[in-house]
Amino acid sequence: EERFHGTRSIHSLSNEEFCAAHLATLCRSALLELSTAASTESLGKLVNYKDIPDALITNIIPDHFHVDIDEDGEERIMEISQKYSKGRNTRARVWEEDSEQKEKVA
């Protein structure tokens, strides 16, 4: 097994180990940003995935980006949020909550 500075090589990791390491890196970066946000002028903002459409309308666009949003803009956000983001062409479909199902499979 190849080692680099006392750690395993990325090439020796299983798919599950690689995904776990990547997720850990993303989470660590987010937590580091969160911990420094209170004491600095951080540009980051944590938003729960399921709350994104409402958060865009009530907080992110008007308060974070300081842009006025009218009723037409609100309606477009809500309409677009109902579409499956990876659904292009033949895969186009309405978005459905599937987090719980994905967790069960994992």
Side-chain angles (χ1 to χ4, degrees):
E1 179 176 294
E2 183 182 343
R3 296 207 168 252
F4 182 74
H5 294 292
T7 61
R8 291 173 53 192
S9 164
I10 194 170
H11 302 291
S12 70
L13 300 177
S14 69
N15 287 340
E16 291 83 5
E17 290 170 322
F18 179 85
C19 289
H22 180 65
L23 182 58
T25 301
L26 294 174
C27 291
R28 184 173 188 269
S29 295
L31 288 172
L32 181 60
E33 176 65 23
L34 177 62
S35 69
T36 59
S39 61
T40 65
E41 293 242 356
S42 171
L43 297 177
K45 184 157 194 68
L46 294 179
V47 179
N48 189 320
Y49 182 80
K50 67 180 182 164
D51 298 330
I52 290 174
D54 289 329
L56 283 170
I57 293 167
T58 62
N59 182 277
I60 297 169
I61 293 174
D63 298 336
H64 190 70
F65 291 109
H66 307 290
V67 174
D68 292 332
I69 183 167
D70 60 14
E71 190 175 319
D72 190 46
E74 291 179 14
E75 288 174 8
R76 287 195 320 244
I77 289 171
M78 295 310 289
E79 180 183 331
I80 290 169
S81 70
Q82 300 302 312
K83 296 183 178 164
Y84 178 58
S85 63
K86 297 175 187 165
R88 307 267 194 278
N89 303 323
T90 59
R91 293 179 64 195
R93 64 179 196 254
V94 172
W95 182 84
E96 296 175 13
E97 169 60 49
D98 62 352
S99 299
E100 199 172 302
Q101 178 185 354
K102 287 179 180 176
E103 278 192 36
K104 288 179 183 177
V105 172

